[in-house]
Amino acid sequence: MNTQTLDKNANHAATAPAYLSVWDLEAYYGESYIVQGVSFNVHEGEILALLGRNGAGKTSTLRAIARLASPEVRRGEIWLDHKPLHNMKAHEASQWGLGLVPEDRRIISGLTVEENLRLAQIAPPIGWSLERLYDLFPRLGERKNQEGTTLSGGEQQMLAIARALARDIKVLLLDEPYEGLAPVIVDEIEKTLGIIKEQGITTILVEQNAIRALKLADRAVILDTGSVVFDGTAKEVLENAELRAEYLAI
């Protein structure tokens, strides 16, 4: 099988120019070794699909990049726009430009759509005013006075993405954004992600619906038991049935 090994990928990460670089990242839940020396690069304005079977380490890698307390990162480096993030706390990495949209969305109960956005928004907003966010997500503008947790699943996902953008982020980290959503809503979110890409925002997309993610992405990294087994273009994965069958079960 023509896949790129971890060693080759690590060398690539160390030498190729990139906007976001992850080098030899190792992370643990207790003594469980979950993220096992993951390295990859993401270029500015690129959409990277981070793929693999259940339990491959995708969400753990995303959480480690976002500098969350769990899993515990014990080794590795994370660089964003020449800034080292690996010694930062989550709120510091967020201030530098990382925006994580977790699978559970974490819409704040008791607050309206607009209050959720205003709470996240930097002051004064540089790139993403409320008006611009409502232009991107017209449904949120229509429901700005509605409590965020009463929105439909698709609308809550839109709110979670808009809330991340409100911080004027550089990199959008998306964990299973299509989970539980109707195909027509996924279409709408994908269209929005394309617009976000046009604005120069870099995106890492973790998604079980690998085919949809690959059709949207520029590049793909595939994990297997916490390690990188492929790093290349999304087109390569779409055209390689053997690779998809072995590591994605599709």
Side-chain angles (χ1 to χ4, degrees):
M1 180 179 298
N2 184 23
T3 61
Q4 299 183 24
T5 66
L6 173 61
D7 290 341
K8 182 176 181 180
N9 180 63
N11 180 65
H12 173 75
T15 58
Y19 193 59
L20 174 71
S21 289
V22 178
W23 298 353
D24 201 20
L25 191 65
E26 297 186 358
Y28 293 74
Y29 291 108
E31 293 307 311
S32 297
Y33 188 22
I34 303 299
V35 180
Q36 303 183 14
V38 167
S39 300
F40 59 84
N41 285 337
V42 192
H43 296 275
E44 188 170 9
E46 191 171 59
I47 297 178
L48 176 79
L50 184 61
L51 304 175
R53 295 174 184 262
N54 286 335
K58 306 181 299 297
T59 291
S60 296
T61 298
L62 210 64
R63 289 175 61 88
I65 293 170
R67 308 302 299 130
L68 299 184
S70 179
E72 177 191 358
V73 176
R74 298 184 186 176
R75 180 179 176 181
E77 298 183 8
I78 305 163
W79 293 79
L80 172 59
D81 194 16
H82 310 293
K83 182 77 172 181
L85 305 186
H86 38 276
N87 294 323
M88 291 185 180
K89 302 295 185 183
H91 71 277
E92 296 170 324
S94 175
Q95 289 170 356
W96 189 250
L98 282 182
L100 173 65
V101 178
E103 184 178 358
D104 61 6
R105 299 158 190 158
R106 297 187 185 174
I107 306 303
I108 300 175
S109 179
L111 298 185
T112 66
V113 167
E114 186 154 311
E115 288 168 340
N116 267 274
L117 294 175
R118 287 192 182 277
L119 191 63
Q121 196 171 42
I122 65 169
I126 298 172
W128 292 93
S129 65
L130 289 177
E131 291 74 18
R132 189 179 178 198
L133 290 169
Y134 291 149
D135 284 342
L136 184 62
F137 297 101
R139 292 191 188 195
L140 297 184
E142 295 167 2
R143 294 159 174 77
K144 64 182 180 180
N145 295 318
Q146 182 175 335
E147 185 176 341
T149 55
T150 67
L151 298 175
S152 69
E155 290 163 352
Q156 286 192 37
Q157 188 62 262
M158 295 174 193
L159 176 55
I161 295 171
R163 188 177 55 189
L165 294 175
R167 298 193 60 83
D168 284 318
I169 58 171
K170 301 176 181 179
V171 176
L172 179 62
L173 307 174
L174 292 172
D175 190 11
E176 303 286 359
Y178 306 159
E179 179 69 24
L181 302 184
V184 65
I185 302 299
V186 174
D187 289 342
E188 191 171 341
I189 289 175
E190 285 184 338
K191 181 179 178 181
T192 302
L193 292 178
I195 296 171
I196 291 171
K197 173 183 169 64
E198 292 173 358
Q199 306 304 309
I201 292 176
T202 305
T203 300
I204 300 180
L205 171 64
V206 167
E207 178 51 54
Q208 282 298 325
N209 191 333
I211 295 298
R212 293 207 69 143
L214 288 164
K215 288 180 178 179
L216 179 68
D218 302 292
R219 291 181 45 252
V221 167
I222 299 177
L223 301 183
D224 185 52
T225 60
S227 299
V228 174
V229 293
F230 176 87
D231 182 344
T233 68
K235 182 179 179 182
E236 287 177 285
V237 183
L238 286 169
E239 294 178 348
N240 190 328
E242 183 183 357
L243 175 66
R244 296 198 314 273
E246 182 167 356
Y247 293 112
L248 303 176
I250 54 174

